[in-house]
Amino acid sequence: MRVGIGRDCHRLVEGRRLVIGGVAMDSPRGADAHSDGDVLLHALIDALLGAVGLGDIGDHFPDTDPQYEGADSRDLLRRTVALVRRNGMSVHNVDATVMLERPKLGPLKQQMREQIAADLGISPGRVNVKAKTAEGLGAVGGGEAIEAEAVVLLEE
Ligand SMILES: [Zn+2]
C-alpha cells in the first residue's frame, strides 16, 4: 500500500467557468487558471503522483506549456492514472474535501464521485467527496478562492 496527499487552491474571478470534480457548476465566478482550474481534480492528481513518488502536477503538466491551455482536468487525471498503472499500482480509494463558500455542492457531489470513479477505474463507493465552507473567514470565506485537498491509497 502507498498513500498520497494533494492540495490545491485557485482564485475565483468573474467570467470563468467553475468546474469541480469534472462537473460544471452554476456560478457567476470561476477558477482563474491556465487549465479548466478544477481544484478537486488537481488535488487528486497531486495525491496520485505523490503516492507513486513522481513529483507533482506542475512537473507533468506545466502551466507554461501552451498544450495545457484550457485543458480538461479529467483528461489530465486519466493520464495520471495511466502513469500510476505503469508503475504497477492501482487505486484503492480516495477521500477529498472541497472548501468553498458558494455554490453548495449538494447533490452534485454524487455526480463528481461517479465521474472520478470512472476515470480511476474503481466503484463510486471508493471515492468520497466532502464540501465545507470557511464560515466566512479568509479568502475562501470571502468567496475569493476555492481550495481542495485529497488523500489516496494505492495498492500494488
Ligand atoms: Zn489547480
Side-chain angles (χ1 to χ4, degrees):
M1 296 283 195
R2 297 187 71 154
V3 70
I5 185 169
R7 193 174 170 85
D8 195 33
C9 170
H10 284 278
R11 189 183 294 273
L12 291 174
V13 294
E14 311 253 333
R16 289 272 309 181
R17 286 194 322 144
L18 182 61
V19 182
I20 306 173
V23 178
M25 310 292 295
D26 184 16
S27 168
R29 314 183 92 195
D32 188 20
H34 186 67
S35 69
D36 64 5
D38 192 322
V39 71
L40 174 53
L41 297 192
H42 293 177
L44 177 53
I45 288 168
D46 260 356
L48 289 164
L49 291 170
V52 282
L54 288 173
D56 63 35
I57 190 168
D59 296 331
H60 295 265
F61 312 110
D63 65 6
T64 50
D65 188 333
Q67 72 169 299
Y68 301 118
E69 173 96 53
D72 178 349
S73 295
R74 289 190 71 189
D75 181 45
L76 305 183
L77 175 60
R78 288 189 288 258
R79 289 163 68 164
T80 305
V81 172
L83 194 60
V84 167
R85 293 215 179 98
R86 282 203 296 280
N87 280 267
M89 308 293 294
S90 62
V91 180
H92 184 272
N93 74 300
V94 170
D95 189 20
T97 305
V98 180
M99 280 146 295
L100 84 168
E101 218 62 11
R102 69 189 71 82
K104 295 283 179 214
L105 299 196
L108 295 174
K109 282 189 289 189
Q110 185 59 28
Q111 192 183 340
M112 292 172 193
R113 294 177 76 174
E114 286 169 8
Q115 291 189 172
I116 292 168
D119 291 340
L120 297 177
I122 58 178
S123 68
R126 289 172 182 255
V127 178
N128 195 61
V129 176
K130 307 183 295 296
K132 293 190 83 68
T133 72
E135 301 279 337
L137 298 169
V140 171
E144 297 163 47
I146 181 169
E147 295 179 0
E149 54 192 7
V151 172
V152 300
L153 189 65
L154 304 184
E155 53 196 349
E156 269 182 77

